[in-house]
Amino acid sequence: MAFSAVDRDGISIVRTVGCVVCNFKCIQETRRGDTMGRLYLIQLDGRIYSCRHCRSHLAQCDELVSKSFHCRHGKAYLFNTVVNVSVGPLEDRMMTTGKHAVADIFCNSCQQVVGWKYEVAYEKSQKYKEGKFILERAKMVDGDGIDTFHFSDGDDE
């Protein structure tokens, strides 16, 4: 369901749209004649994880599936949904658990890579990852402001 309104100058149209990344409702402002729009950042309630660089909200703790993942920079967390991210181009990557089709995800505010989205898992035992998101621990802070930043030389996954 979309909400629309025109501001006092009659130029801006504000509407909520279903986000293609997270299925949350996002607020988008479009000026007449613009083909794109300015996407406002979603503010989450409760305990959240935020971008380490700009503190934009990325995920609610309730959406956390697993803390047992690793990436080039150390630990990584698997989430059902994330917000305030854009999905990059799809590519195949060989990871510790096999080949996956993934797309990097970027913070909408600062454009830093914060993790990736699993689109396709080629191994039957890894299908549970499809449609889920990895946030790299080194790229985020806890809702209470704890900034955990570790590097390791581990494989992606």
Side-chain angles (χ1 to χ4, degrees):
M1 179 180 215
F3 162 82
S4 298
V6 178
D7 69 5
R8 281 184 249 158
D9 64 8
I11 297 174
S12 297
I13 299 170
V14 178
R15 60 189 170 151
T16 60
V17 293
C19 181
V20 295
V21 175
C22 64
N23 294 326
F24 284 91
K25 293 296 181 189
C26 298
I27 298 174
Q28 186 177 31
E29 177 184 359
T30 307
R31 298 230 176 244
R32 289 202 179 128
D34 286 348
T35 56
M36 297 189 55
R38 184 171 50 167
L39 189 64
Y40 289 88
L41 297 176
I42 295 170
Q43 298 296 310
L44 300 171
D45 294 325
R47 190 164 155 83
I48 51 104
Y49 291 98
S50 301
C51 176
R52 185 178 69 83
H53 299 283
C54 68
R55 302 298 196 253
S56 293
H57 293 182
L58 296 175
Q60 290 179 314
C61 290
D62 294 345
E63 293 297 316
L64 181 64
V65 175
S66 175
K67 293 183 177 184
S68 300
F69 286 76
H70 293 86
C71 63
R72 289 184 192 119
H73 304 294
K75 291 184 177 188
Y77 295 174
L78 183 68
F79 289 88
N80 283 317
T81 59
V82 298
V83 297
N84 300 325
V85 298
S86 301
V87 179
L90 194 63
E91 63 181 61
D92 284 340
R93 288 187 195 158
M94 183 56 83
M95 298 184 173
T96 308
T97 56
K99 188 176 176 183
H100 296 79
V102 300
D104 284 337
I105 55 174
F106 302 85
C107 174
N108 280 345
S109 181
C110 67
Q111 302 305 310
Q112 294 290 317
V113 175
V114 291
W116 64 88
K117 180 179 182 183
Y118 285 106
E119 295 289 351
V120 179
Y122 296 108
E123 308 259 341
K124 190 174 183 180
S125 66
Q126 302 300 307
K127 292 286 187 187
Y128 75 94
K129 296 177 185 176
E130 290 180 351
K132 292 186 173 53
F133 300 85
I134 287 288
L135 291 177
E136 297 181 26
R137 191 66 190 103
K139 308 280 181 85
M140 63 180 176
V141 294
D142 286 347
D144 57 9
I146 296 173
D147 190 354
T148 308
F149 193 73
H150 300 289
F151 281 105
S152 78
D153 293 325
D155 289 340
D156 266 353
E157 211 262 344

